[in-house]
Amino acid sequence: DAGVTQSPTHLIKTRGQQVTLRCSPKSGHDTVSWYQQALGQGPQFIFQYYEEEERQRGNFPDRFSGHQFPNYSSELNVNALLLGDSALYLCASSQGIEQFFGPGTRLTVL
Amino acid sequence: SQQGEEDPQALSIQEGENATMNCSYKTSINNLQWYRQNSGRGLVHLILIRSNEREKHSGRLRVTLDTSKKSSSLLITASRAADTASYFCAPERYNTDKLIFGTGTRLQVFP
């Protein structure tokens, strides 16, 4: 049973560019949450998707948007990248209470 | 702002010793989950304790929860070098699915 998978593993972009990160949830999970983890910090909640709709959102600007597909996979899009967007982006899936995390995508903005 | 705050920030022990990490939070919660993270990679789910539970065990892990004090502790018994990692508590804010993480405890276990 595959766990949560994310792609790509690493990504390097320049300021002003746009990026799309992808997440496939654990089998049987219908809810996907995205978190941003800056170096030396804990993960910060970005938003959560359920039934293809954004259900909850953290304190992130509109430059951060997402999508969930009918197969429950999800994308995180970030527009107009800033240096401060450099971080590890984590996806978590759940069906119920426990949230299981993927390995993350390391985004570096130059 | 961070809700789950771990204490201590760093902990160094010898193999075989026990490691205790504490967590405090600020709001009402549905449950509290503990995670481990190795070298800045993905988070591994360790254990979940519901708001109406006071103690839970899983292998070498023991978690307590005191909702009146808004605090939790994670005890790792008979630690191993492989337990070296960062540990995060993540209270789930009441009536939401949001996990609120602190900055974690960095545990170093020396062989």
Side-chain angles (χ1 to χ4, degrees):
Chain A
D1 174 28
V4 181
T5 60
Q6 292 185 245
S7 63
T9 305
H10 295 89
L11 204 51
I12 299 175
K13 292 285 188 179
T14 57
R15 281 178 298 176
Q17 285 189 313
Q18 178 263 345
V19 69
T20 297
L21 310 181
R22 296 176 177 81
C23 171
S24 291
K26 189 177 169 66
S27 178
H29 287 188
D30 57 7
T31 302
V32 173
S33 301
W34 287 92
Y35 292 80
Q36 180 196 65
Q37 186 178 21
L39 197 62
Q41 301 296 314
Q44 296 286 302
F45 177 81
I46 302 175
F47 43 52
Q48 182 183 78
Y49 277 85
Y50 172 71
E51 292 189 342
E52 302 180 52
E53 291 193 0
E54 184 182 292
R55 185 162 70 172
Q56 298 179 73
R57 190 177 182 93
N59 295 324
F60 280 81
D62 292 345
R63 299 187 297 109
F64 290 77
S65 63
H67 188 78
Q68 186 179 35
F69 299 94
N71 67 353
Y72 307 124
S73 67
S74 177
E75 288 181 348
L76 164 65
N77 301 293
V78 187
N79 294 322
L81 285 167
L82 305 173
L83 295 179
D85 295 332
S86 295
L88 180 68
Y89 288 84
L90 295 161
C91 165
S93 74
S94 60
Q95 196 217 14
I97 300 174
E98 294 179 347
Q99 294 192 31
F100 293 86
F101 283 79
T105 293
R106 174 75 62 187
L107 172 64
T108 301
V109 182
L110 302 176
Chain B
S1 64
Q2 305 280 12
Q3 284 279 341
E5 295 293 339
E6 293 87 352
D7 172 62
Q9 291 187 338
L11 181 61
S12 295
I13 59 175
Q14 296 288 327
E15 261 190 335
E17 293 181 337
N18 295 340
T20 299
M21 288 159 266
N22 301 299
C23 166
S24 61
Y25 58 91
K26 297 178 182 176
T27 63
S28 297
I29 62 172
N30 299 321
N31 60 70
L32 187 145
Q33 303 182 45
W34 283 89
Y35 290 86
R36 184 185 75 230
Q37 185 175 41
N38 293 84
S39 303
R41 297 304 293 171
L43 294 158
V44 175
H45 190 274
L46 295 176
I47 196 166
L48 177 150
I49 186 164
R50 298 171 190 262
S51 61
N52 62 353
E53 297 176 312
R54 292 296 168 257
E55 187 171 314
K56 202 160 182 181
H57 297 255
S58 177
R60 294 184 296 115
L61 305 179
R62 172 178 171 259
V63 168
T64 63
L65 178 64
D66 187 336
T67 53
S68 67
K69 295 181 179 179
K70 290 186 167 56
S71 67
S72 176
S73 68
L74 171 67
L75 169 66
I76 303 174
T77 60
S79 63
R80 306 165 181 168
D83 294 330
T84 294
S86 290
Y87 291 81
F88 294 90
C89 77
E92 185 181 273
R93 187 173 287 168
Y94 179 72
N95 221 25
T96 75
D97 293 336
K98 293 182 184 179
L99 295 178
I100 310 299
F101 290 84
T103 54
T105 292
R106 294 181 302 280
L107 174 65
Q108 176 81 50
V109 182
F110 292 99

